[in-house]
């Protein structure tokens, strides 16, 4: 059976400033595009049978620059809906809520289109993605790649390991990073985490 490969999108203007970014569809920065290209060598030699991608432009662009093809967009791979905290940094939130923590306290209510999510709701989406990925993994020996966002992929990793969604707080994940989830003695494990190459590594795609 293959592995589940997780790719966080490259840098955006808001990842630099620390602003919470879910539905705001920002492009990659120039450095973010270089990070995405630097993903390609980390996939060398892998047999990839399925690529699932968040609908956000930053995720789709990362997948394309990493040399991935036949992308299948899945809304369930969207980032945690931050509701009223969209575009707001953690220090700004903590000015009025000093002990605020996304994983335990959740987000402020947002507009009707983006009301916000609890960790458990993000976990439900992650479980649906995992169900599709596991079906593909058990049907052949190829890998499955997910290209998405930091908080969502951290929740998904927790759920893969059989942990509550809030346990995603334990897994730091940088922009342009590649991680792998596999098995040992038929039990789910992390086989690699938060792996990156310098963005100036020469990359040949195709």
């Amino acid at each position: 059976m293959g592995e589940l490969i997780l790719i966080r999108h490259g840098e955006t203007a808001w990842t630099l400033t620390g602003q919470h970014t879910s539905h705001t569809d920002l492009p990659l920065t120039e450095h973010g595009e270089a990070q995405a290209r630097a993903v390609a060598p980390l996939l060398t030699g892998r047999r990839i049978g399925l690529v699932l991608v968040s609908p956000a432009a930053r995720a789709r662009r990362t997948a394309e620059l990493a040399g991935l093809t036949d992308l299948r967009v899945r809304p369930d791979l969207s980032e945690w809906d931050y509701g009223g905290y969209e575009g707001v940094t953690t220090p700004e939130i903590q000015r009025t809520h000093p002990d605020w923590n996304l994983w335990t306290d959740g987000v402020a209510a947002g507009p009707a289109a983006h009301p916000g999510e609890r960790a458990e709701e993000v976990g439900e989406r992650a479980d649906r993605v995992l169900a599709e990925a596991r079906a593909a993994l058990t049907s052949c020996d190829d890998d499955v790649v997910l290209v998405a966002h930091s908080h969502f992929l951290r929740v998904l990793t927790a759920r893969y390991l059989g942990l509550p969604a809030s346990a995603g707080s334990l897994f730091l994940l940088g922009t342009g990073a590649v991680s792998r989830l596999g098995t040992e003695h038929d039990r789910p494990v992390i086989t690699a985490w938060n792996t990156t190459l310098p963005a100036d590594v020469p990359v040949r795609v195709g």
Side-chain angles (χ1 to χ4, degrees):
M1 187 171 74
E3 291 187 312
L4 185 57
I5 300 175
L6 315 181
I7 301 173
R8 183 186 174 190
H9 65 77
E11 177 191 272
T12 70
W14 280 13
T15 61
L16 283 173
T17 57
Q19 293 168 265
H20 287 89
T21 320
S22 54
H23 61 84
T24 305
D25 208 4
L26 299 174
L28 299 179
T29 62
E30 183 176 347
H31 179 64
E33 294 210 347
Q35 287 180 315
R37 293 187 187 94
V39 167
L42 297 174
L43 304 178
T44 299
R46 312 291 308 195
R47 293 198 316 173
I48 297 171
L50 178 65
V51 182
L52 304 179
V53 184
S54 160
R58 57 192 184 275
R60 290 184 283 111
R61 181 61 172 160
T62 296
E64 292 164 358
L65 291 173
L68 296 166
T69 57
D70 299 322
L71 312 180
R72 302 187 187 184
V73 175
R74 295 291 184 269
D76 275 338
L77 281 165
S78 298
E79 180 60 297
W80 191 322
D81 183 346
Y82 299 123
Y85 290 155
E86 180 77 6
V88 184
T89 67
T90 295
E92 288 171 338
I93 297 167
Q94 290 177 338
R95 288 174 191 164
T96 53
H97 300 83
D99 297 322
W100 178 81
N101 182 291
L102 172 67
W103 300 95
T104 54
D105 300 322
V107 300
H114 302 286
E117 287 181 294
R118 295 177 291 107
E120 294 77 13
E121 292 174 307
V122 182
E124 290 171 2
R125 292 197 281 114
D127 287 346
R128 292 194 292 268
V129 172
L130 285 171
E132 181 176 3
R134 285 184 175 119
L137 288 168
T138 55
S139 67
C140 67
D141 292 329
D142 295 347
D143 297 324
V144 172
V145 175
L146 308 179
V147 187
H149 312 270
S150 176
H151 283 133
F152 177 82
L153 290 174
R154 292 166 69 177
V155 168
L156 181 137
T157 299
R159 297 301 301 139
Y160 178 86
L161 297 172
L163 302 172
S166 59
S169 63
L170 301 172
F171 308 114
L172 181 67
L173 191 58
T175 52
V178 177
S179 303
R180 302 198 317 269
L181 305 179
T183 58
E184 182 184 41
H185 306 306
D186 296 322
R187 301 184 65 180
V189 296
I190 296 173
T191 54
W193 189 257
N194 206 32
T195 305
T196 59
L197 291 176
D200 58 356
V201 168
V203 175
R204 292 173 58 188
V205 176

